[in-house]
Amino acid sequence: MLSADTLVILDRDGVINHDSDNYIKSLDEWVPYPASITAIARLTQAGYTVAVATNQSGIARGYYDEATLHAMHDQLTALVEAEGGGIAHIAYCPHGPDDNCICRKPLPGMLLNIQQHLGLASLTGSWMVGDSLRDLQAGEAVGCKTALVRTGKGVKTEQRGVGLEKAKVFDDLAQFVEWLIR
């Protein structure tokens, strides 16, 4: 039975795959961290539900289109399924920072989309795992426990030391998963 306590929401770029200041604009540029796919599969096998919430302003900026984004997400899903795992839902924000949408993190719109899609009454007690302060802020806004990973922008986020009072910090997604399922 799906419950908020067994839901783990992941940011994508910098958590699951390598990030780039120039945006991940193609399937060729979408390169998962070696251990992240296995980590997601392990979560699923341990009884957790995994969802993804990812800001994708490169769409609004014209760097790539939604078909390209879907190709990346299809690849992600296929790799996770090949290792015996699954992703219940992928929510993304295609808007730019000045579009005044309700979904772009640090706003919690994508997390609320995941909650609605999965039919949960609340997200309180679920996990939000990210590499930036805005990921953690989005999670905290809806009652998630938060974890910062040092991959992607995580080291810089940790060094700033702002807004991390409630977050647990891990080297990467695999270390978080190992800790969580232990």
Side-chain angles (χ1 to χ4, degrees):
M1 167 103 180
L2 177 61
S3 76
D5 292 339
T6 58
L7 174 63
V8 178
I9 302 169
L10 306 174
D11 174 46
R12 193 192 83 172
D13 300 333
V15 175
I16 298 171
N17 57 277
H18 292 273
D19 200 356
S20 168
D21 290 336
N22 298 318
Y23 300 83
I24 307 299
K25 301 178 292 298
S26 69
L27 187 54
D28 287 342
E29 293 177 15
W30 185 83
V31 179
Y33 291 117
S36 66
I37 301 300
T38 302
I40 295 169
R42 288 190 67 208
L43 275 174
T44 306
Q45 292 158 5
Y48 287 87
T49 300
V50 179
V52 176
T54 179
N55 285 350
Q56 292 295 320
S57 70
I59 293 172
R61 297 170 200 266
Y63 298 155
Y64 53 93
D65 58 21
E66 291 194 53
T68 300
L69 181 69
H70 291 301
M72 293 180 226
H73 292 169
D74 290 347
Q75 176 75 359
L76 167 60
T77 301
L79 289 170
V80 170
E81 288 175 352
E83 291 207 29
I87 297 175
H89 186 58
I90 300 175
Y92 65 92
C93 171
H95 306 110
D98 301 322
D99 289 346
N100 295 316
C101 66
I102 59 166
C103 47
R104 185 174 169 79
K105 293 177 285 181
L107 296 175
M110 279 187 285
L111 281 67
L112 296 171
N113 171 279
I114 290 166
Q115 175 186 335
Q116 181 180 16
H117 181 85
L118 298 178
L120 293 169
S122 160
L123 291 175
T124 301
S126 58
W127 281 94
M128 177 67 212
V129 181
D131 68 328
S132 72
L133 181 58
R134 71 173 146 228
D135 298 324
L136 307 180
Q137 291 170 325
E140 289 172 2
V142 292
C144 293
K145 297 175 274 190
T146 55
L148 177 75
V149 292
R150 292 184 177 109
T151 49
K153 297 176 178 74
V155 169
K156 287 181 183 173
T157 302
E158 183 181 24
Q159 288 171 344
R160 280 189 215 105
V162 176
L164 304 180
E165 300 78 19
K166 297 176 185 173
K168 295 198 175 297
V169 181
F170 299 91
D171 287 341
D172 58 15
L173 181 57
Q175 189 184 60
F176 165 76
V177 170
E178 185 64 33
W179 172 83
L180 184 64
I181 64 179
R182 224 184 290 137

Short mmCIF file of all heavy atoms in Angstrom, two decimals, residues 17-68:
data_model
loop_
_atom_site.label_atom_id
_atom_site.label_comp_id
_atom_site.label_asym_id
_atom_site.label_seq_id
_atom_site.Cartn_x
_atom_site.Cartn_y
_atom_site.Cartn_z
N ASN A 17 21.46 12.11 -12.50
CA ASN A 17 22.40 12.24 -13.62
C ASN A 17 23.30 13.45 -13.43
O ASN A 17 22.99 14.35 -12.66
CB ASN A 17 21.65 12.33 -14.95
CG ASN A 17 20.67 13.49 -14.98
OD1 ASN A 17 19.55 13.36 -14.48
ND2 ASN A 17 21.07 14.61 -15.55
N HIS A 18 24.40 13.44 -14.19
CA HIS A 18 25.31 14.58 -14.18
C HIS A 18 24.56 15.83 -14.59
O HIS A 18 23.68 15.78 -15.44
CB HIS A 18 26.48 14.33 -15.14
CG HIS A 18 27.39 13.25 -14.69
ND1 HIS A 18 28.45 13.47 -13.85
CD2 HIS A 18 27.38 11.91 -14.94
CE1 HIS A 18 29.07 12.32 -13.61
NE2 HIS A 18 28.44 11.36 -14.25
N ASP A 19 24.91 16.96 -13.98
CA ASP A 19 24.29 18.24 -14.29
C ASP A 19 25.26 19.04 -15.16
O ASP A 19 26.43 18.70 -15.27
CB ASP A 19 23.98 18.99 -12.99
CG ASP A 19 22.93 20.08 -13.19
OD1 ASP A 19 22.49 20.30 -14.33
OD2 ASP A 19 22.55 20.71 -12.18
N SER A 20 24.76 20.09 -15.75
CA SER A 20 25.59 20.99 -16.55
C SER A 20 25.06 22.41 -16.41
O SER A 20 23.84 22.62 -16.47
CB SER A 20 25.55 20.57 -18.02
OG SER A 20 26.14 21.59 -18.83
N ASP A 21 25.96 23.36 -16.24
CA ASP A 21 25.54 24.77 -16.22
C ASP A 21 24.98 25.19 -17.57
O ASP A 21 24.29 26.20 -17.67
CB ASP A 21 26.71 25.67 -15.83
CG ASP A 21 27.11 25.51 -14.37
OD1 ASP A 21 26.26 25.08 -13.56
OD2 ASP A 21 28.26 25.81 -14.04
N ASN A 22 25.27 24.41 -18.61
CA ASN A 22 24.78 24.69 -19.95
C ASN A 22 23.51 23.89 -20.28
O ASN A 22 23.11 23.83 -21.44
CB ASN A 22 25.86 24.38 -20.99
CG ASN A 22 27.08 25.26 -20.81
OD1 ASN A 22 26.95 26.45 -20.55
ND2 ASN A 22 28.25 24.67 -20.89
N TYR A 23 22.91 23.26 -19.27
CA TYR A 23 21.69 22.47 -19.40
C TYR A 23 21.96 21.13 -20.08
O TYR A 23 22.87 21.00 -20.89
CB TYR A 23 20.57 23.22 -20.16
CG TYR A 23 20.18 24.50 -19.47
CD1 TYR A 23 20.90 25.67 -19.67
CD2 TYR A 23 19.11 24.54 -18.59
CE1 TYR A 23 20.57 26.84 -19.02
CE2 TYR A 23 18.77 25.71 -17.94
CZ TYR A 23 19.50 26.86 -18.15
OH TYR A 23 19.18 28.01 -17.50
N ILE A 24 21.14 20.16 -19.71
CA ILE A 24 21.17 18.85 -20.36
C ILE A 24 20.17 18.96 -21.50
O ILE A 24 18.96 18.99 -21.28
CB ILE A 24 20.77 17.74 -19.35
CG1 ILE A 24 21.63 17.81 -18.09
CG2 ILE A 24 20.84 16.38 -20.03
CD1 ILE A 24 23.11 17.62 -18.31
N LYS A 25 20.68 19.07 -22.74
CA LYS A 25 19.84 19.45 -23.89
C LYS A 25 19.51 18.30 -24.84
O LYS A 25 18.74 18.48 -25.77
CB LYS A 25 20.53 20.56 -24.68
CG LYS A 25 20.80 21.82 -23.87
CD LYS A 25 21.53 22.89 -24.66
CE LYS A 25 22.95 22.55 -25.04
NZ LYS A 25 23.88 22.34 -23.93
N SER A 26 20.12 17.13 -24.61
CA SER A 26 19.89 16.02 -25.54
C SER A 26 20.04 14.70 -24.78
O SER A 26 20.60 14.65 -23.69
CB SER A 26 20.90 16.06 -26.68
OG SER A 26 22.20 15.76 -26.20
N LEU A 27 19.57 13.65 -25.41
CA LEU A 27 19.70 12.32 -24.82
C LEU A 27 21.18 11.97 -24.64
O LEU A 27 21.56 11.36 -23.64
CB LEU A 27 18.98 11.29 -25.68
CG LEU A 27 18.88 9.88 -25.11
CD1 LEU A 27 18.25 9.87 -23.72
CD2 LEU A 27 18.08 8.99 -26.05
N ASP A 28 22.03 12.39 -25.56
CA ASP A 28 23.47 12.12 -25.45
C ASP A 28 24.08 12.82 -24.23
O ASP A 28 25.04 12.31 -23.64
CB ASP A 28 24.22 12.58 -26.71
CG ASP A 28 23.96 11.67 -27.89
OD1 ASP A 28 23.50 10.52 -27.68
OD2 ASP A 28 24.22 12.10 -29.03
N GLU A 29 23.56 13.98 -23.87
CA GLU A 29 24.09 14.73 -22.73
C GLU A 29 23.54 14.21 -21.40
O GLU A 29 24.07 14.55 -20.34
CB GLU A 29 23.76 16.22 -22.87
CG GLU A 29 24.47 16.90 -24.01
CD GLU A 29 24.08 18.37 -24.16
OE1 GLU A 29 23.48 18.95 -23.24
OE2 GLU A 29 24.38 18.93 -25.23
N TRP A 30 22.48 13.42 -21.46
CA TRP A 30 21.88 12.88 -20.24
C TRP A 30 22.67 11.63 -19.82
O TRP A 30 22.53 10.57 -20.43
CB TRP A 30 20.40 12.55 -20.43
CG TRP A 30 19.77 12.12 -19.15
CD1 TRP A 30 19.28 12.93 -18.18
CD2 TRP A 30 19.62 10.78 -18.68
NE1 TRP A 30 18.84 12.18 -17.12
CE2 TRP A 30 19.03 10.87 -17.39
CE3 TRP A 30 19.93 9.53 -19.19
CZ2 TRP A 30 18.74 9.75 -16.63
CZ3 TRP A 30 19.64 8.41 -18.42
CH2 TRP A 30 19.05 8.52 -17.16
N VAL A 31 23.52 11.79 -18.81
CA VAL A 31 24.40 10.71 -18.38
C VAL A 31 24.15 10.43 -16.90
O VAL A 31 24.49 11.26 -16.04
CB VAL A 31 25.88 11.08 -18.61
CG1 VAL A 31 26.80 9.96 -18.14
CG2 VAL A 31 26.13 11.43 -20.08
N PRO A 32 23.57 9.28 -16.57
CA PRO A 32 23.30 8.99 -15.16
C PRO A 32 24.59 8.72 -14.39
O PRO A 32 25.58 8.24 -14.96
CB PRO A 32 22.43 7.74 -15.21
CG PRO A 32 22.70 7.11 -16.53
CD PRO A 32 23.10 8.20 -17.46
N TYR A 33 24.56 9.06 -13.10
CA TYR A 33 25.66 8.65 -12.23
C TYR A 33 25.63 7.13 -12.18
O TYR A 33 24.55 6.53 -12.11
CB TYR A 33 25.48 9.22 -10.82
CG TYR A 33 25.66 10.71 -10.74
CD1 TYR A 33 24.61 11.53 -10.35
CD2 TYR A 33 26.88 11.31 -11.04
CE1 TYR A 33 24.78 12.90 -10.26
CE2 TYR A 33 27.05 12.68 -10.94
CZ TYR A 33 26.00 13.47 -10.55
OH TYR A 33 26.16 14.83 -10.46
N PRO A 34 26.79 6.48 -12.18
CA PRO A 34 26.83 5.02 -12.25
C PRO A 34 25.97 4.32 -11.19
O PRO A 34 25.29 3.34 -11.49
CB PRO A 34 28.31 4.70 -12.06
CG PRO A 34 29.02 5.91 -12.53
CD PRO A 34 28.14 7.08 -12.19
N ALA A 35 25.97 4.83 -9.98
CA ALA A 35 25.25 4.14 -8.90
C ALA A 35 23.80 4.58 -8.74
O ALA A 35 23.04 3.95 -8.01
CB ALA A 35 26.00 4.34 -7.58
N SER A 36 23.39 5.63 -9.44
CA SER A 36 22.05 6.17 -9.18
C SER A 36 20.93 5.25 -9.68
O SER A 36 19.90 5.10 -9.02
CB SER A 36 21.89 7.56 -9.79
OG SER A 36 21.95 7.53 -11.19
N ILE A 37 21.12 4.63 -10.83
CA ILE A 37 20.08 3.75 -11.37
C ILE A 37 19.88 2.55 -10.44
O ILE A 37 18.75 2.19 -10.09
CB ILE A 37 20.45 3.29 -12.80
CG1 ILE A 37 20.63 4.50 -13.74
CG2 ILE A 37 19.42 2.31 -13.34
CD1 ILE A 37 19.43 5.39 -13.90
N THR A 38 20.99 1.95 -10.01
CA THR A 38 20.91 0.84 -9.06
C THR A 38 20.26 1.28 -7.76
O THR A 38 19.47 0.54 -7.18
CB THR A 38 22.33 0.28 -8.80
OG1 THR A 38 22.90 -0.12 -10.05
CG2 THR A 38 22.29 -0.90 -7.85
N ALA A 39 20.59 2.48 -7.31
CA ALA A 39 20.01 2.99 -6.06
C ALA A 39 18.49 3.12 -6.16
O ALA A 39 17.76 2.74 -5.23
CB ALA A 39 20.64 4.33 -5.70
N ILE A 40 18.01 3.62 -7.29
CA ILE A 40 16.56 3.74 -7.49
C ILE A 40 15.91 2.36 -7.50
O ILE A 40 14.86 2.14 -6.87
CB ILE A 40 16.24 4.52 -8.78
CG1 ILE A 40 16.73 5.98 -8.65
CG2 ILE A 40 14.75 4.48 -9.09
CD1 ILE A 40 16.70 6.76 -9.96
N ALA A 41 16.54 1.42 -8.18
CA ALA A 41 16.01 0.05 -8.21
C ALA A 41 15.98 -0.55 -6.80
O ALA A 41 15.00 -1.21 -6.42
CB ALA A 41 16.84 -0.81 -9.15
N ARG A 42 17.01 -0.31 -6.02
CA ARG A 42 17.06 -0.82 -4.65
C ARG A 42 15.93 -0.22 -3.81
O ARG A 42 15.33 -0.93 -2.98
CB ARG A 42 18.42 -0.52 -4.00
CG ARG A 42 19.54 -1.39 -4.56
CD ARG A 42 20.80 -1.26 -3.75
NE ARG A 42 20.61 -1.83 -2.41
CZ ARG A 42 21.27 -1.45 -1.33
NH1 ARG A 42 22.17 -0.49 -1.40
NH2 ARG A 42 21.04 -2.02 -0.17
N LEU A 43 15.66 1.05 -3.99
CA LEU A 43 14.54 1.67 -3.27
C LEU A 43 13.24 0.95 -3.58
O LEU A 43 12.47 0.59 -2.68
CB LEU A 43 14.39 3.15 -3.66
CG LEU A 43 15.23 4.17 -2.94
CD1 LEU A 43 15.05 5.55 -3.58
CD2 LEU A 43 14.89 4.23 -1.46
N THR A 44 13.00 0.74 -4.87
CA THR A 44 11.77 0.07 -5.30
C THR A 44 11.69 -1.33 -4.70
O THR A 44 10.65 -1.74 -4.17
CB THR A 44 11.72 -0.03 -6.84
OG1 THR A 44 11.89 1.27 -7.40
CG2 THR A 44 10.40 -0.59 -7.31
N GLN A 45 12.79 -2.07 -4.77
CA GLN A 45 12.81 -3.44 -4.27
C GLN A 45 12.63 -3.49 -2.75
O GLN A 45 12.15 -4.50 -2.22
CB GLN A 45 14.11 -4.12 -4.69
CG GLN A 45 14.18 -4.34 -6.19
CD GLN A 45 15.60 -4.50 -6.72
OE1 GLN A 45 16.56 -4.54 -5.97
NE2 GLN A 45 15.73 -4.58 -8.04
N ALA A 46 12.98 -2.41 -2.07
CA ALA A 46 12.81 -2.34 -0.61
C ALA A 46 11.42 -1.86 -0.22
O ALA A 46 11.14 -1.67 0.97
CB ALA A 46 13.87 -1.43 0.00
N GLY A 47 10.55 -1.65 -1.20
CA GLY A 47 9.17 -1.27 -0.90
C GLY A 47 8.87 0.21 -0.98
O GLY A 47 7.77 0.65 -0.63
N TYR A 48 9.82 1.00 -1.44
CA TYR A 48 9.59 2.43 -1.58
C TYR A 48 9.02 2.75 -2.95
O TYR A 48 9.26 2.04 -3.92
CB TYR A 48 10.90 3.21 -1.38
CG TYR A 48 11.34 3.25 0.07
CD1 TYR A 48 12.11 2.24 0.60
CD2 TYR A 48 10.93 4.29 0.89
CE1 TYR A 48 12.50 2.26 1.93
CE2 TYR A 48 11.31 4.32 2.23
CZ TYR A 48 12.08 3.30 2.75
OH TYR A 48 12.45 3.32 4.06
N THR A 49 8.27 3.84 -3.02
CA THR A 49 7.79 4.38 -4.28
C THR A 49 8.69 5.56 -4.62
O THR A 49 8.98 6.39 -3.76
CB THR A 49 6.33 4.87 -4.13
OG1 THR A 49 5.52 3.74 -3.77
CG2 THR A 49 5.82 5.47 -5.43
N VAL A 50 9.14 5.62 -5.87
CA VAL A 50 10.04 6.67 -6.30
C VAL A 50 9.35 7.55 -7.32
O VAL A 50 8.72 7.07 -8.26
CB VAL A 50 11.33 6.06 -6.91
CG1 VAL A 50 12.27 7.18 -7.39
CG2 VAL A 50 12.03 5.16 -5.91
N ALA A 51 9.48 8.88 -7.12
CA ALA A 51 8.99 9.86 -8.07
C ALA A 51 10.11 10.87 -8.31
O ALA A 51 11.07 10.95 -7.54
CB ALA A 51 7.74 10.56 -7.54
N VAL A 52 9.99 11.61 -9.39
CA VAL A 52 10.99 12.60 -9.76
C VAL A 52 10.30 13.94 -9.94
O VAL A 52 9.22 14.01 -10.53
CB VAL A 52 11.72 12.19 -11.07
CG1 VAL A 52 12.70 13.27 -11.51
CG2 VAL A 52 12.43 10.85 -10.89
N ALA A 53 10.94 15.01 -9.43
CA ALA A 53 10.45 16.37 -9.61
C ALA A 53 11.62 17.21 -10.12
O ALA A 53 12.60 17.40 -9.42
CB ALA A 53 9.93 16.94 -8.29
N THR A 54 11.51 17.70 -11.36
CA THR A 54 12.66 18.35 -11.98
C THR A 54 12.30 19.65 -12.69
O THR A 54 11.39 19.69 -13.53
CB THR A 54 13.36 17.36 -12.96
OG1 THR A 54 14.47 18.00 -13.58
CG2 THR A 54 12.42 16.80 -14.00
N ASN A 55 13.01 20.72 -12.33
CA ASN A 55 12.90 21.98 -13.06
C ASN A 55 13.57 21.79 -14.40
O ASN A 55 14.72 21.34 -14.47
CB ASN A 55 13.62 23.12 -12.31
CG ASN A 55 12.88 23.62 -11.10
OD1 ASN A 55 11.73 23.29 -10.85
ND2 ASN A 55 13.57 24.44 -10.32
N GLN A 56 12.89 22.15 -15.48
CA GLN A 56 13.45 22.01 -16.83
C GLN A 56 13.22 23.30 -17.62
O GLN A 56 12.54 23.33 -18.65
CB GLN A 56 12.84 20.79 -17.53
CG GLN A 56 13.25 19.47 -16.92
CD GLN A 56 14.73 19.20 -17.06
OE1 GLN A 56 15.35 19.49 -18.08
NE2 GLN A 56 15.33 18.65 -16.00
N SER A 57 13.80 24.40 -17.12
CA SER A 57 13.61 25.71 -17.76
C SER A 57 14.28 25.78 -19.14
O SER A 57 14.00 26.71 -19.90
CB SER A 57 14.14 26.83 -16.87
OG SER A 57 15.55 26.79 -16.79
N GLY A 58 15.12 24.80 -19.47
CA GLY A 58 15.70 24.77 -20.81
C GLY A 58 14.64 24.69 -21.89
O GLY A 58 14.87 25.13 -23.03
N ILE A 59 13.47 24.17 -21.57
CA ILE A 59 12.36 24.13 -22.52
C ILE A 59 11.89 25.55 -22.80
O ILE A 59 11.79 25.97 -23.96
CB ILE A 59 11.22 23.23 -22.00
CG1 ILE A 59 11.68 21.77 -21.95
CG2 ILE A 59 9.98 23.38 -22.88
CD1 ILE A 59 10.70 20.83 -21.26
N ALA A 60 11.62 26.32 -21.73
CA ALA A 60 11.17 27.71 -21.90
C ALA A 60 12.24 28.55 -22.60
O ALA A 60 11.92 29.48 -23.34
CB ALA A 60 10.84 28.32 -20.54
N ARG A 61 13.49 28.20 -22.38
CA ARG A 61 14.60 28.96 -22.98
C ARG A 61 14.87 28.55 -24.43
O ARG A 61 15.71 29.15 -25.10
CB ARG A 61 15.86 28.76 -22.14
CG ARG A 61 15.75 29.27 -20.72
CD ARG A 61 16.94 28.83 -19.86
NE ARG A 61 16.67 28.89 -18.44
CZ ARG A 61 16.97 29.91 -17.65
NH1 ARG A 61 17.53 30.98 -18.15
NH2 ARG A 61 16.69 29.87 -16.37
N GLY A 62 14.17 27.50 -24.91
CA GLY A 62 14.32 27.06 -26.29
C GLY A 62 15.55 26.20 -26.55
O GLY A 62 15.93 25.99 -27.70
N TYR A 63 16.17 25.66 -25.49
CA TYR A 63 17.37 24.84 -25.66
C TYR A 63 17.04 23.42 -26.12
O TYR A 63 17.87 22.76 -26.73
CB TYR A 63 18.17 24.77 -24.37
CG TYR A 63 18.69 26.09 -23.88
CD1 TYR A 63 18.95 26.27 -22.54
CD2 TYR A 63 18.93 27.16 -24.74
CE1 TYR A 63 19.43 27.49 -22.06
CE2 TYR A 63 19.41 28.37 -24.27
CZ TYR A 63 19.66 28.53 -22.94
OH TYR A 63 20.13 29.71 -22.47
N TYR A 64 15.86 22.94 -25.80
CA TYR A 64 15.38 21.63 -26.21
C TYR A 64 13.87 21.63 -26.08
O TYR A 64 13.28 22.56 -25.51
CB TYR A 64 16.02 20.49 -25.39
CG TYR A 64 15.90 20.66 -23.89
CD1 TYR A 64 14.85 20.09 -23.18
CD2 TYR A 64 16.83 21.41 -23.17
CE1 TYR A 64 14.73 20.26 -21.81
CE2 TYR A 64 16.72 21.58 -21.80
CZ TYR A 64 15.66 21.00 -21.13
OH TYR A 64 15.54 21.18 -19.78
N ASP A 65 13.23 20.60 -26.62
CA ASP A 65 11.77 20.54 -26.58
C ASP A 65 11.29 19.42 -25.66
O ASP A 65 12.09 18.64 -25.13
CB ASP A 65 11.19 20.41 -28.00
CG ASP A 65 11.70 19.17 -28.73
OD1 ASP A 65 12.18 18.21 -28.08
OD2 ASP A 65 11.62 19.18 -29.97
N GLU A 66 9.98 19.37 -25.48
CA GLU A 66 9.42 18.36 -24.57
C GLU A 66 9.63 16.95 -25.09
O GLU A 66 9.79 16.02 -24.29
CB GLU A 66 7.94 18.65 -24.29
CG GLU A 66 7.79 19.91 -23.44
CD GLU A 66 6.42 20.10 -22.83
OE1 GLU A 66 5.93 19.17 -22.15
OE2 GLU A 66 5.86 21.19 -23.01
N ALA A 67 9.68 16.76 -26.41
CA ALA A 67 9.95 15.42 -26.96
C ALA A 67 11.34 14.94 -26.53
O ALA A 67 11.52 13.76 -26.18
CB ALA A 67 9.82 15.44 -28.48
N THR A 68 12.31 15.83 -26.53
CA THR A 68 13.67 15.49 -26.09
C THR A 68 13.67 15.15 -24.60
O THR A 68 14.30 14.17 -24.18
CB THR A 68 14.63 16.66 -26.38
OG1 THR A 68 14.62 16.92 -27.79
CG2 THR A 68 16.04 16.35 -25.92
#
